[in-house]
Amino acid sequence: MLLLRRLAGAGRRRGPAARGLASGAPREAADAVVVGAGVVGLAVARALAMAGREVVVVEAAPSFGTGTSSRNSEVIHAGIYYPPCSLKASLCVRGKEMLYKYCAEREVAHKQLGKLIVVTGAAETGKLDMLLMNAKQNGVNDLQLMEGSQAMEMEPELRCLKALLSPSTGIVDSHSFMLSLLGDAENLGTTVSYNTTVIGGHVGYEGLELHICESKELQNHPGGSHVTPQLVLLPKLLINSAGLSAIPLATRFHGLDQAFVPNPHYARGCYFTLSQTKSPFSHLIYPLPEDGGIGVHVTIDLNGLVRFGPDVEWLDGGEDPVSCFLNRFDYSVNPTRCSVFYPVVRKYFPNLKDGSLEPGYSGIRPKLSGPGQPPSDFVIQGQDIHGIPGLVNLFGIESPGLTSSLAIAEHIVSRYS
């Protein structure tokens, strides 16, 4: 109970009369509560603390950034693919600017490598023109359309007919970035409680009620049965930034009209690493986008390690809420999936040798659209949409969530704080 006592101490006790009628759990008032200590949750906590709010971050895992935030390509995206006027477009472009500035000022490791989006078939070449036009509508004006010969001169191992160069795309050490955000937030008085799970809540006579228990209490808990909270927090502002479990949490928030809660879709993406030590490329290399993602691409980390991925494997979406809260998703990488990677990668990297791909890691993307459906936008949903004062839901914060994190935080503070 030590963590819960620390968390309760960050709030203001309502007195012995204010006990949960059903559970007997102590009730504590709080100013602003952020659920989830991923990159977006930490960015929001920092921004709220900078705005003068007393912030509590509640995280089910033993540390920060253990979900989608640490299982991605670590790419700083330019804002090329997303529909004009969408949140993904505007927040990615703004977030890229903020992220580069933040990393430079805080000495967070990053590198502006640039990327090449390539086409290898004649029927695809017109799609680059469409991407170029889309990017310009999003305010990305530094792209360069080039012939395959120009791109292959830049990258001798590459094979393509045409390419689109994005000089502002880069990579970042996501762990160091999150650690810096956490330090900023804590220096401003933010309390972070790990191993602490939000299991639900409702709109009560005192406003929002957040039901909380220690994560270890859920470890052997049947998924469909009732969980008794050990603490009830009463926040003035609640940011549901729970990533993969944001939608399952919203379904357990009584008083929220479920018409405003979208159906979740989960897509696993696997990465394979290149066994050779020297990178064959100096830029990131991307094919054209595919259903559910932006294609199996080449990323290079700050140590020069080359990764290929992610692919798209749709999950059945049948995970119970408790399993989502505890991040019990299957992150294993089946070594046989490399048989799919070789022919895809060899379209633009024909010299990829048999046996050179090794299983890396996987990530799960919290999507709002399923197979064959057009990509969905970010959903940032406040009182103006669902009618509940103080509640802000963040749904479908997949890529470009890392790039957009500081801009998402800026957006939330400006609109809802």
Side-chain angles (χ1 to χ4, degrees), residues 147-196:
E147 295 298 324
S149 57
Q150 296 173 279
M152 291 185 288
E153 188 175 341
M154 294 171 62
E155 295 286 1
E157 291 289 335
L158 178 65
R159 291 296 177 269
C160 66
L161 294 179
K162 280 194 172 184
L164 198 58
L165 173 64
S166 170
S168 65
T169 301
I171 55 175
V172 62
D173 182 338
S174 60
H175 181 84
S176 295
F177 175 46
M178 287 187 282
L179 188 62
S180 182
L181 293 174
L182 175 64
D184 289 346
E186 289 185 325
N187 287 338
L188 291 164
T190 296
T191 299
V192 182
S193 183
Y194 298 114
N195 297 304
T196 308

Side-chain angles (χ1 to χ4, degrees), residues 342-388:
Y342 280 107
V344 171
V345 173
R346 281 176 176 148
K347 288 181 180 179
Y348 56 83
F349 179 29
N351 290 335
L352 179 66
K353 294 182 174 60
D354 286 337
S356 60
L357 295 183
E358 300 175 347
Y361 60 95
S362 74
I364 312 290
R365 285 160 277 185
K367 291 183 170 292
L368 302 182
S369 54
Q373 298 175 344
S376 295
D377 199 6
F378 292 154
V379 171
I380 302 177
Q381 188 188 83
Q383 180 184 359
D384 52 327
I385 296 173
H386 54 56
I388 297 178

Side-chain angles (χ1 to χ4, degrees), residues 170-378:
I171 55 175
V172 62
D173 182 338
S174 60
H175 181 84
S176 295
F177 175 46
M178 287 187 282
L179 188 62
S180 182
L181 293 174
L182 175 64
D184 289 346
E186 289 185 325
N187 287 338
L188 291 164
T190 296
T191 299
V192 182
S193 183
Y194 298 114
N195 297 304
T196 308
T197 302
V198 180
I199 55 175
H202 74 272
V203 182
Y205 68 93
E206 294 179 278
L208 297 172
E209 295 189 3
L210 208 54
H211 299 165
I212 293 171
C213 71
E214 289 188 304
S215 297
K216 67 180 181 181
E217 296 295 322
L218 298 179
Q219 293 296 336
N220 299 312
H221 200 282
S225 60
H226 176 71
V227 184
T228 301
Q230 296 170 291
L231 175 69
V232 176
L233 278 183
L234 309 171
K236 295 177 183 175
L237 177 64
L238 169 61
I239 311 296
N240 175 9
S241 182
L244 294 168
S245 60
I247 290 176
L249 175 58
T251 64
R252 294 168 70 110
F253 205 90
H254 302 291
L256 172 63
D257 186 342
Q258 293 300 298
F260 296 108
V261 181
N263 292 321
H265 298 273
Y266 299 108
R268 178 168 51 217
C270 294
Y271 293 84
F272 282 79
T273 59
L274 189 63
S275 57
Q276 67 189 69
T277 54
K278 189 176 187 304
S279 171
F281 300 107
S282 59
H283 295 77
L284 309 180
I285 309 294
Y286 278 61
L288 288 171
E290 61 180 8
D291 181 30
I294 51 179
V296 173
H297 50 263
V298 180
T299 60
I300 308 166
D301 70 13
L302 289 159
N303 295 314
L305 179 70
V306 176
R307 299 178 295 226
F308 296 92
D311 59 353
V312 179
E313 181 185 3
W314 294 99
L315 306 183
D316 60 18
E319 293 78 6
D320 65 89
V322 170
S323 294
C324 290
F325 296 159
L326 298 178
N327 196 18
R328 287 176 173 162
F329 292 91
D330 181 4
Y331 289 103
S332 61
V333 178
N334 186 338
T336 64
R337 289 191 72 83
C338 71
S339 64
V340 179
F341 276 62
Y342 280 107
V344 171
V345 173
R346 281 176 176 148
K347 288 181 180 179
Y348 56 83
F349 179 29
N351 290 335
L352 179 66
K353 294 182 174 60
D354 286 337
S356 60
L357 295 183
E358 300 175 347
Y361 60 95
S362 74
I364 312 290
R365 285 160 277 185
K367 291 183 170 292
L368 302 182
S369 54
Q373 298 175 344
S376 295
D377 199 6
F378 292 154

Side-chain angles (χ1 to χ4, degrees), residues 47-95:
L48 288 170
M50 289 175 65
R53 304 298 295 254
E54 296 178 30
V55 183
V56 173
V57 178
V58 183
E59 170 56 54
S63 185
F64 62 88
T66 61
T68 306
S69 298
S70 60
R71 294 176 170 272
N72 58 71
S73 302
E74 295 189 302
V75 170
I76 302 175
H77 289 286
I80 298 167
Y81 306 101
Y82 319 110
C85 302
S86 66
L87 284 175
K88 281 186 176 180
S90 61
L91 294 175
C92 181
V93 172
R94 171 64 176 153

